[in-house]
Amino acid sequence: MYTPKETFKEILISAGLRGSERSSSSKEEQQSTKQKGKILHPPIETFWQLPPTKDQHKKSTKSRTVKIMSLPFKKGVRKSKSLQTILVGSHDPKDERFVDSFRELLFLEGQLLEKNSDYHTLLRFLRMRDYDLTKAKNMYLNYLKWREEFNVDELYKELNFEEFNEVKKCYPHGFHGVDRYGRPIYIERIGRVNLDRLFEVTTIERFVKYHVTEQERTLNWRYPACSLAAKKHIASTVSILDVKDVGISNFSKPARSLFLEIQKIDSHYYPETLHRLFIINAGSGFKALWKAIKTFLDQRTLAKIQVLGSNYTKTLLEVIDPSNLPTFLGGDCTCSDYGGCLFSDKGPWNDPSVTTILQAMLEAEEENDDDEAKSSATKDSFGAVTPDNVSIKDVYDATPSRDDIFGLPFLQKILTLQTVVNDTKSKIQALEAALKDTNSVIEGLGQPMEEVKKQIIASKIRA
């Protein structure tokens, strides 16, 4: 049988602190107004909900689901406006203005890349820096640099984490179900981690790489799947950390190293992905440890954390249906067919009725990329994307339509660039005028010098 004394006696808090995001509850809003230097923002999905259709009240949930799941695949999926309607919601006009300004700033500095520059990503960095464009730009550029140096794109595709099952046994963690809104739930049982065994089956470096691939999988697969299932945009995670039997003596050097590395990655490179974090079974030992842990977290993350004792079930069930909550947390689910809930990876991202659509969208995107590489036939003379070129990025990205690429935002960029060019021309003309005046002065000084030379020569001759 499992006995806590025989296994993990060192604290490890890592992937549970997945990014950082502000609270949506009014109580937390009131508390955060007293905190200095940070502004409380509403949940990141607030303005991305599915707009109701005119005949929505006439159709049952079942019929709408059938319609969604009956969409054609591959190129049909790519062209489907219905699928776009499912995933694309309303934006806060203020957010849109800031994102447009952010794009223009990056565009004018030649920094905006097509990859990792969608509306969602830029908004996350803006929110994390309270919409300060300069600070958000610096954070975003550091993120791009880190992705290149860490080789994130290739890592996500190529990492073979063959020790996965062994790691799960000595470090119980994983995604399991969704909350009542539709967000994915991430769970860690910190008190059951055997750190010595963990570092026998893997290394800190490999575990960090595994963590990064899980973050990428959440952004690129879990969130889109949850969005399809919930029929509204999902962009953040609910996390639960079980800290039973964890205390101050458990925060060892290896544990601190791993915790700090993962906390840095989540907060710096995956900001605004945490919706709420519940720390449960917090005893007196953990409460003492919590004072030390808080020093590593910013106010934005702390505002999302709720520390609970052993009477946590009621709180969890307010935000999570019992069918999505494991029995060891007070729910009804056992996932016995998978060896336990934390081995199942249960959620819309593994539901065939959802993943079939997502996979078709990805295949369509790959076909689209191949077509673009072979020929520019699907683009107009200006290189603009045509309706036949819409892919999963267009669907999941809630930016204004690409058909409007020559609309107001684009014209604003051109006008701004033209202003910069005209200003540069004016400065060049002013420099040319100043240079001409300088030449005139030098020529004027040259004449007296000639007279002085003549006088010197004449005096030498007379002598």
Side-chain angles (χ1 to χ4, degrees), residues 167-220:
V167 167
K168 284 272 189 174
K169 292 176 183 178
C170 56
Y171 181 5
H173 69 284
F175 282 88
H176 184 274
V178 296
D179 71 355
R180 295 184 185 275
Y181 186 85
R183 302 179 183 92
I185 301 169
Y186 177 81
I187 302 170
E188 284 191 9
R189 305 189 76 179
I190 303 297
R192 289 179 174 263
V193 176
N194 185 338
L195 195 62
D196 291 334
R197 176 59 181 162
L198 177 65
F199 291 142
E200 288 177 2
V201 300
T202 192
T203 63
I204 290 181
E205 181 182 4
R206 281 186 61 79
F207 188 87
V208 169
K209 289 181 177 179
Y210 158 71
H211 175 73
V212 169
T213 62
E214 283 297 293
Q215 286 284 47
E216 290 291 303
R217 185 171 292 109
T218 298
L219 287 174
N220 299 320

Side-chain angles (χ1 to χ4, degrees), residues 8-134:
F8 179 57
K9 289 300 177 185
E10 297 173 326
I11 178 64
L12 173 62
I13 295 183
S14 57
L17 302 178
R18 309 179 71 80
S20 52
E21 185 182 341
R22 305 302 281 178
S23 170
S24 61
S25 68
S26 59
K27 181 179 179 180
E28 289 168 337
E29 290 180 12
Q30 293 171 1
Q31 292 175 345
S32 65
T33 56
K34 299 178 182 179
Q35 298 170 347
K36 297 181 179 180
K38 291 293 180 182
I39 300 173
L40 180 68
H41 305 305
I44 200 163
E45 298 98 348
T46 299
F47 299 98
W48 295 343
Q49 298 184 32
L50 175 66
T53 57
K54 295 181 180 179
D55 58 346
Q56 185 174 5
H57 64 284
K58 299 179 182 180
K59 299 182 179 180
S60 65
T61 302
K62 181 177 180 181
S63 65
R64 289 197 302 273
T65 303
V66 170
K67 180 178 179 181
I68 293 167
M69 300 308 173
S70 300
L71 290 171
F73 298 143
K74 296 191 175 180
K75 291 188 177 180
V77 170
R78 185 174 64 212
K79 297 178 183 179
S80 172
K81 293 183 179 180
S82 299
L83 191 56
Q84 290 179 325
T85 303
I86 293 169
L87 293 176
V88 177
S90 301
H91 290 178
D92 178 7
K94 177 184 175 182
D95 283 347
E96 283 194 307
R97 289 194 294 271
F98 272 107
V99 171
D100 284 343
S101 297
F102 195 20
R103 287 184 186 278
E104 291 174 7
L105 175 62
L106 294 168
F107 174 82
L108 292 175
E109 295 194 7
Q111 299 288 355
L112 185 58
L113 305 177
E114 182 179 353
K115 212 169 188 180
N116 304 306
S117 62
D118 57 275
Y119 179 92
H120 303 155
T121 299
L122 297 183
L123 181 59
R124 290 183 194 279
F125 285 93
L126 282 168
R127 286 167 60 99
M128 191 62 185
R129 288 296 178 256
D130 292 329
Y131 296 90
D132 185 308
L133 291 176
T134 301

Side-chain angles (χ1 to χ4, degrees), residues 191-335:
R192 289 179 174 263
V193 176
N194 185 338
L195 195 62
D196 291 334
R197 176 59 181 162
L198 177 65
F199 291 142
E200 288 177 2
V201 300
T202 192
T203 63
I204 290 181
E205 181 182 4
R206 281 186 61 79
F207 188 87
V208 169
K209 289 181 177 179
Y210 158 71
H211 175 73
V212 169
T213 62
E214 283 297 293
Q215 286 284 47
E216 290 291 303
R217 185 171 292 109
T218 298
L219 287 174
N220 299 320
W221 188 256
R222 291 190 178 98
Y223 287 162
C226 288
S227 300
L228 279 175
K231 305 174 189 65
K232 56 191 172 187
H233 191 88
I234 301 298
S236 60
T237 302
V238 171
S239 296
I240 303 172
L241 299 188
D242 186 349
V243 296
K244 187 177 181 180
D245 299 322
V246 170
I248 189 68
S249 62
N250 307 133
F251 202 37
S252 67
K253 184 176 180 180
R256 287 198 303 271
S257 298
L258 187 55
F259 162 69
L260 291 174
E261 181 64 23
I262 289 182
Q263 194 273 336
K264 174 186 174 182
I265 288 174
D266 289 351
S267 61
H268 290 187
Y269 310 130
Y270 299 97
E272 297 289 299
T273 55
L274 178 69
H275 177 66
R276 299 184 71 175
L277 170 60
F278 298 98
I279 300 177
I280 63 172
N281 285 320
S284 57
F286 176 80
K287 291 178 181 178
L289 174 62
W290 180 236
K291 293 181 180 180
I293 294 175
K294 288 196 297 185
T295 61
F296 297 104
L297 307 175
D298 61 28
Q299 292 298 321
R300 186 180 299 282
T301 301
L302 290 173
K304 289 305 303 160
I305 300 175
Q306 187 173 356
V307 180
L308 304 169
S310 57
N311 297 321
Y312 58 81
T313 304
K314 181 180 178 180
T315 301
L316 294 184
L317 291 177
E318 288 177 356
V319 296
I320 303 170
D321 187 84
S323 63
N324 281 307
L325 198 62
T327 53
F328 60 80
L329 295 179
D332 299 335
C333 190
T334 61
C335 292

Side-chain angles (χ1 to χ4, degrees), residues 414-456:
I414 297 300
L415 291 174
T416 305
L417 183 60
Q418 184 177 359
T419 301
V420 173
V421 172
N422 290 339
D423 183 58
T424 303
K425 287 182 178 179
S426 299
K427 291 179 179 179
I428 292 174
Q429 291 174 353
L431 288 173
E432 289 176 345
L435 181 61
K436 185 177 181 179
D437 292 340
T438 302
N439 289 333
S440 299
V441 172
I442 292 174
E443 291 175 358
L445 291 174
Q447 294 177 356
M449 289 298 297
E450 290 296 328
E451 295 295 330
V452 171
K453 287 180 181 179
K454 291 179 181 180
Q455 292 177 4
I456 292 174

Side-chain angles (χ1 to χ4, degrees), residues 129-190:
R129 288 296 178 256
D130 292 329
Y131 296 90
D132 185 308
L133 291 176
T134 301
K135 292 180 179 179
K137 182 198 73 172
N138 293 335
M139 185 180 184
Y140 175 72
L141 294 182
N142 286 334
Y143 159 74
L144 294 180
K145 180 180 179 182
W146 169 78
R147 288 191 68 92
E148 182 178 359
E149 293 177 348
F150 205 76
N151 212 21
V152 174
D153 292 332
E154 288 73 18
L155 187 68
Y156 176 51
K157 299 175 183 178
E158 300 174 0
L159 179 67
N160 180 21
F161 198 64
E162 54 190 13
E163 62 267 42
F164 175 80
N165 288 332
E166 290 300 317
V167 167
K168 284 272 189 174
K169 292 176 183 178
C170 56
Y171 181 5
H173 69 284
F175 282 88
H176 184 274
V178 296
D179 71 355
R180 295 184 185 275
Y181 186 85
R183 302 179 183 92
I185 301 169
Y186 177 81
I187 302 170
E188 284 191 9
R189 305 189 76 179
I190 303 297

